[in-house]
Amino acid sequence: MVCQSVEGERGILMANNQVHFFDTTLRDGEQSPGVSLNVHEKLELAQQLARLGVDVIEAGFPIASPGDFEAVKLVAQRVKGPVIAGLCRATRGDIDVAWEALKGAESPRLHTFIATSDIHLRFKLQKSREEVLEQAVAAVRYAKKYTSDVEFSAEDASRSDLDYLCLLVEKVIEAGATVVNLPDTVGYAVPDEFGRFIRTVRERVPNIDQAIIAVHCHDDLGMAVSNSLAAIANGATQVEGTINGIGERAGNASLEEIAMALYTRKAFYQKEVGLNFREIYRTSRMVSSLTGMVIQPNKAVVGKNAFAHESGIHQDGVLKERTTYEIMSPELIGVYQSNLVLGKHSGRHAFKERLTEMGFDLAEEELDKAFKRFKELADKKKEVTNHDLEAIVKHELFTPPEKYRLNYLYFASGTQLIPTATIGIVTNGEVVEDAACGDGPVDAAFHVVDRIIGIHGELVEYKLSAVTGGKDALGEVTVRVKVNGRIYIGRGVSTDIIEASVRAYLNAMNKADYDRCRGETGRKITIDDPTNGHEGKGK
Ligand code: KIV
Ligand code: ZN
């Protein structure tokens, strides 16, 4: 352990020292405004979460849309190791659909919920406390018919009447709930109060030892991580959150921050964390890249500046003894140096070794593809750094097979010219070509793509950043494109920023076309649907 200063501090010792990490990046995280992951991206991320070693992956809310259903089913069938959970409201219809999606999992979990605060009961559900209690118990009993692993969440627990909540928790445990989750749904709690709240529930509910106590905190007041830690110190043994803290509104508790707090301050919390810490950084980058949600540079643990020392005094101190200003080591979470260089003479073997060091374990075929892209890049760029390699792997390999691929691109632009683009796109083994004008070369190129694919995309957001420093740096473009009311995220990299833009746009439009071919409408049921599932929305 890096930090020496905690010796002698006293933590609260619990009989069971292991904290279970429940990741809901694919469900609550995907509820972030403007984020929409397709089935392939969800599977990719779930596989990475399994490598990170989370205990539970909440793969989605199967009744929300056919896409969610399909994603949960695929993750359940393919991802081994963690428990795979699917969210469902406290109704038979939701539970049936969730089970249908989950049943292929090695260890499936049904996660059913209903709101318990008076404010939700009165305005959202229009039900009495008795009715909600009855519905919660019935849902857990029904879910138990399918599986022994049933989690029950009391939505808005932190604002619920404590006596009522304790009674309800007792009854759902009696009905068979093995995990009881007490969320701070609207991020209203503060750490002391939330810790006391968890302790009180533990002390008052007579059969609480028959279930795991979980917490799920939102970050509206910026206290989701602190509240989660306070809950852990008071007896919660499952913590729910997302990577990078993404999620509804201000987001969820950031799992990597909780993990590193428990690790770095182990003498205080006295808890074990079963994660592969070295996968933290890579998971964080993958989440950011797939969701298009940029990580703020000063974000704890995974921000670009989290381990950067700017002031002379700090630099001097770190050079003399790292622990003067560094309480965690970047290597521990898998941050790799970006200045290790490969060039155009580097062979396949060196290339493979470097990717392995960086944690990418590629199949031969994937390696061939990545090596080809590396050689193309090395022809244009003298030095290829680890960050360039990561960009290649992410963009070229984490993209599922696409129906439309860029074959060539010409554009003409200048102060005295009408910007024009000509593009060739390979589809079904043929090259389709077209040309168009626009306000600029990017606009012109996007018009051509629209014409060839036959879908109109509305560009909602465009971001360009350099992967590394230097004039020959790779440009990385992320676009958000709206098609039929749904947002698609596309990413592309190239040393040429127009080419990177076209690759990114094409990436988004391929996803839109995939949905169009499957007749996916983009409509989703949200967890706050006021009918609470009473309109018989089966699949
Ligand atoms: O925030 C919340 O209360 C939730 C529940 C559905 C677990 O996401
Ligand atoms: Zn939530």
Side-chain angles (χ1 to χ4, degrees):
M1 176 157 145
V2 183
C3 182
Q4 304 295 317
S5 60
V6 292
E7 288 298 319
E9 278 188 13
R10 286 170 54 81
I12 297 152
L13 281 159
M14 297 294 159
N16 177 0
N17 268 352
Q18 178 89 21
V19 176
H20 299 275
F21 278 73
F22 176 114
D23 181 280
T24 182
T25 307
L26 294 174
R27 199 276 297 169
D28 226 342
E30 211 231 1
Q31 285 172 218
S32 306
V35 172
S36 162
L37 300 174
N38 66 28
V39 175
H40 308 283
E41 291 166 326
K42 285 187 180 174
L43 179 61
E44 195 67 58
L45 203 47
Q47 274 157 346
Q48 178 56 27
L49 290 167
R51 280 192 285 270
L52 175 62
V54 300
D55 301 281
V56 187
I57 295 174
E58 184 160 64
F61 181 22
I63 201 153
S65 71
D68 272 45
F69 178 87
E70 204 189 317
V72 176
K73 189 167 174 182
L74 198 65
V75 170
Q77 284 167 345
R78 301 265 191 92
V79 179
K80 305 295 168 205
V83 169
I84 308 297
L87 186 69
C88 41
R89 291 165 298 186
T91 67
R92 287 182 174 219
D94 268 36
I95 295 167
D96 288 340
V97 172
W99 181 251
E100 197 52 36
L102 282 172
K103 66 182 183 195
E106 195 177 62
S107 321
R109 175 181 296 180
L110 280 166
H111 177 194
T112 185
F113 76 99
I114 192 163
T116 52
S117 66
D118 287 339
I119 193 163
H120 277 236
L121 263 58
R122 181 162 169 222
F123 295 106
K124 188 175 85 173
L125 301 176
Q126 281 142 14
K127 285 180 191 276
S128 67
R129 287 183 180 178
E130 291 70 30
E131 283 170 318
V132 165
L133 193 143
E134 216 172 275
Q135 193 176 335
V137 168
V140 171
R141 278 214 190 103
Y142 189 68
K144 280 301 259 199
K145 292 194 177 152
Y146 287 123
T147 174
S148 59
D149 191 349
V150 174
E151 171 165 342
F152 173 80
S153 283
E155 192 190 9
D156 207 17
S158 58
R159 293 193 302 166
S160 302
D161 177 83
L162 198 51
D163 292 337
Y164 172 62
L165 184 70
C166 287
L167 176 68
L168 185 135
V169 167
E170 182 187 340
K171 297 293 172 201
V172 293
I173 294 175
E174 220 170 82
T178 40
V179 181
V180 175
N181 181 28
L182 304 172
D184 181 30
T185 302
V186 291
Y188 182 73
V190 295
D192 279 357
E193 170 201 61
F194 197 61
R196 259 199 319 276
F197 164 69
I198 296 299
R199 183 183 286 258
T200 310
V201 173
R202 257 182 67 224
E203 285 168 359
R204 286 228 214 136
V205 175
N207 54 358
I208 197 75
D209 56 333
Q210 290 165 36
I212 286 173
I213 305 178
V215 285
H216 171 118
C217 298
H218 279 266
D219 207 30
D220 298 65
L221 292 173
M223 287 188 273
V225 168
S226 309
N227 285 331
S228 305
L229 290 167
I232 289 168
N234 282 282
T237 51
Q238 176 176 292
V239 68
E240 306 193 357
T242 59
I243 300 298
N244 299 341
I246 65 168
E248 277 286 345
R249 308 182 307 278
N252 289 59
S254 178
L255 283 186
E256 69 280 5
E257 290 181 23
I258 296 172
M260 289 315 290
L262 293 175
Y263 176 85
T264 309
R265 303 304 305 272
K266 187 167 178 187
F268 181 81
Y269 287 105
Q270 305 272 316
K271 295 289 170 195
E272 298 297 332
V273 176
L275 297 183
N276 299 321
F277 290 94
R278 275 188 190 278
E279 294 290 338
I280 287 181
Y281 188 62
R282 191 170 150 207
T283 315
S284 158
R285 308 257 309 180
M286 190 190 275
V287 168
S288 171
S289 154
L290 291 177
T291 59
M293 291 187 77
V294 177
I295 303 166
Q296 76 192 60
N298 59 327
K299 156 109 174 48
V301 182
V302 290
K304 191 162 120 278
N305 297 346
F307 298 98
H309 302 281
E310 188 71 17
S311 97
I313 297 176
H314 289 205
Q315 285 174 353
D316 180 57
V318 169
L319 287 174
K320 285 178 178 146
E321 167 52 49
R322 209 168 164 162
T323 53
T324 49
Y325 287 100
E326 237 175 55
I327 60 162
M328 301 171 265
S329 84
E331 292 79 22
L332 175 67
I333 63 157
V335 175
Y336 43 77
Q337 298 299 317
S338 68
N339 52 359
L340 296 170
V341 172
L342 291 180
K344 69 176 181 184
H345 300 297
S346 306
R348 198 171 183 277
H349 186 68
F351 176 75
K352 185 179 178 182
E353 293 242 301
R354 178 65 56 79
L355 288 183
T356 311
E357 269 162 41
M358 290 168 64
F360 293 111
D361 181 18
L362 305 188
E364 281 307 300
E365 194 187 312
E366 292 172 329
L367 193 69
D368 289 343
K369 222 169 133 194
F371 188 61
K372 186 164 168 271
R373 267 294 264 163
F374 158 70
K375 282 288 179 186
E376 283 165 12
L377 180 62
D379 269 342
K380 295 183 188 154
K381 195 172 183 288
K382 223 169 88 214
E383 297 178 335
V384 179
T385 68
N386 284 1
H387 282 150
D388 293 325
L389 291 184
E390 184 193 287
I392 293 177
V393 172
K394 240 167 41 187
H395 292 276
E396 292 302 309
L397 304 180
F398 292 169
T399 308
E402 294 187 322
K403 188 162 141 199
Y404 300 95
R405 277 191 82 84
L406 182 65
N407 183 248
Y408 71 84
L409 157 73
Y410 290 121
F411 58 88
S413 184
T415 50
Q416 309 289 326
L417 285 176
I418 296 176
T420 312
T422 308
I423 296 182
I425 286 177
V426 183
T427 181
N428 298 324
E430 272 180 33
V431 180
V432 184
E433 300 167 297
D434 210 333
C437 300
D439 294 336
V442 171
D443 185 46
F446 288 3
H447 283 317
V448 183
V449 173
D450 281 0
R451 276 158 62 154
I452 294 178
I453 299 187
I455 313 178
H456 174 66
E458 184 194 330
L459 185 66
V460 179
E461 198 176 293
Y462 175 94
K463 264 185 267 165
L464 166 66
S465 58
V467 172
T468 52
K471 284 189 190 144
D472 63 352
L474 267 181
E476 177 167 39
V477 172
T478 305
V479 292
R480 279 201 158 77
V481 183
K482 198 185 227 176
V483 179
N484 294 332
R486 183 162 184 171
I487 300 286
Y488 295 91
I489 298 161
R491 301 174 308 277
V493 285
S494 170
T495 46
D496 178 323
I497 59 170
I498 311 293
E499 183 188 329
S501 306
V502 174
R503 287 186 183 277
Y505 191 70
L506 207 49
N507 181 227
M509 295 304 270
N510 264 302
K511 293 175 190 174
D513 178 68
Y514 180 77
D515 278 356
R516 177 180 62 170
C517 295
R518 290 161 60 244
E520 174 100 16
T521 60
R523 191 184 69 86
K524 274 198 178 203
I525 297 172
T526 67
I527 66 163
D528 291 324
D529 185 334
T531 62
N532 203 38
H534 280 307
E535 287 176 345
K537 296 177 183 100
K539 259 191 67 66

